[in-house]
Amino acid sequence: MADEKKVNGAEVKSADKKVEKKPKSNKPPFATRVKNFVKDYRSEMKKVVWSPKKEVIKNTGIVLVLAVGVGVAVGVLDLGLSELIKLLGNIN
């Protein structure tokens, strides 16, 4: 049912559904949030302990060698299995 209200002496019918206003958030302005983010980011980056250059180069080499090794292994396995499937297809 619609509710009846008096506005300026006239009756006004309102719908059952009421539109509620969202409460305003207490967030600071965008510029302040960005400034705080950058400040916190700098603070956290100062706490990071970086590896020495020689260790980084050594670990990069290990990763590259392993990646090439796995790639070769997968390639050989793929080639072998594809040849096996071709042989099984020619058995007829």
Side-chain angles (χ1 to χ4, degrees):
M1 287 188 154
D3 295 330
E4 293 182 8
K5 295 181 182 179
K6 287 192 176 183
V7 178
N8 293 332
E11 289 186 13
V12 178
K13 293 184 179 180
S14 62
D16 288 339
K17 294 182 181 178
K18 294 181 181 179
V19 178
E20 294 182 17
K21 293 183 180 178
K22 293 182 182 177
K24 290 188 177 183
S25 72
N26 294 329
K27 285 198 262 185
F30 180 73
T32 305
R33 289 185 286 161
V34 170
K35 183 179 174 184
N36 288 340
F37 171 78
V38 171
K39 182 178 145 189
D40 292 342
Y41 177 80
R42 281 182 154 170
S43 173
E44 289 298 320
M45 288 305 290
K46 288 179 182 176
K47 297 176 187 177
V48 174
V49 178
W50 298 99
S51 299
K53 186 176 181 178
K54 284 186 177 183
E55 187 177 340
V56 172
I57 291 171
K58 183 182 94 175
N59 289 339
T60 302
I62 291 170
V63 168
L64 291 175
V65 167
L66 287 174
V68 169
V70 169
V72 168
V74 169
V76 168
L77 185 63
D78 180 49
L79 182 65
L81 290 175
S82 64
E83 290 298 320
L84 180 64
I85 290 173
K86 285 179 187 177
L87 287 174
L88 290 174
N90 291 335
I91 290 179
N92 292 339

